[in-house]
Amino acid sequence: MNNVVHELGHAFNNRLGKLPENLLSATQETAWSPCYIPNFPNRLDLGENEDTGPNYGFASEQGVLMWQMNSGGSPSEEFADMFLGWTFDRWQAPPSSTNLPDHGKMRADWMDKYMPYFIWLALWKD
Ligand SMILES: [Zn+2]
């Protein structure tokens, strides 16, 4: 089920000419862009079956195919997993210390901010 939703996230991204992944990339990496968010989680690129990694804001670890259905670090794969997290409202729990960044909330807030706009675009785009 989670993989199906992940794949739907790819289809949604493609429907919008990859706008979601490009916006996510700019959020993570393009310091001069208006949508850049410092310290936004950005997972490393792990190959298939290549160990596990942190949650990066998702509700399971990297390499555990539950809430990160792909271990790739590309914005396309991260957006597909954020689409999954947004669909079920499942994110990494807040950190125990308020001094640490809440990566789950950062990803959830990003989706809540842009998804209404993306859905509107998907409806009207030819
Ligand atoms: Zn994928």
Side-chain angles (χ1 to χ4, degrees):
M1 177 54 142
N2 285 13
N3 197 47
V4 172
V5 176
H6 171 100
E7 297 305 329
L8 284 172
H10 281 306
F12 185 76
N13 179 44
N14 289 333
R15 161 87 181 135
L16 295 174
K18 304 186 187 298
L19 175 66
E21 77 171 82
N22 290 329
L23 245 170
L24 178 60
S25 174
T27 298
Q28 293 172 317
E29 298 175 1
T30 311
W32 52 264
S33 93
C35 47
Y36 179 70
I37 299 174
N39 304 313
F40 195 89
N42 187 3
R43 72 185 177 205
L44 296 175
D45 197 26
L46 283 188
E48 296 285 329
N49 308 315
E50 214 188 292
D51 217 348
T52 57
N55 289 50
Y56 295 108
F58 296 103
S60 68
E61 289 183 309
Q62 187 181 26
V64 177
L65 301 180
M66 193 178 294
W67 299 103
Q68 297 191 65
M69 293 307 303
N70 189 296
S71 292
S74 72
S76 169
E77 293 302 340
E78 287 200 49
F79 176 76
D81 283 334
M82 288 168 72
F83 186 89
L84 170 63
W86 175 81
T87 298
F88 294 103
D89 194 24
R90 290 290 302 272
W91 304 101
Q92 183 174 11
S96 52
S97 164
T98 53
N99 296 328
L100 297 170
D102 189 342
H103 286 158
K105 185 177 185 329
M106 290 172 87
R107 289 201 190 264
D109 287 350
W110 192 93
M111 291 299 279
D112 290 345
K113 177 179 178 180
Y114 289 117
M115 279 304 285
Y117 171 61
F118 291 154
I119 291 168
W120 180 83
L121 272 180
L123 289 172
W124 296 103
K125 185 176 178 294
D126 285 332

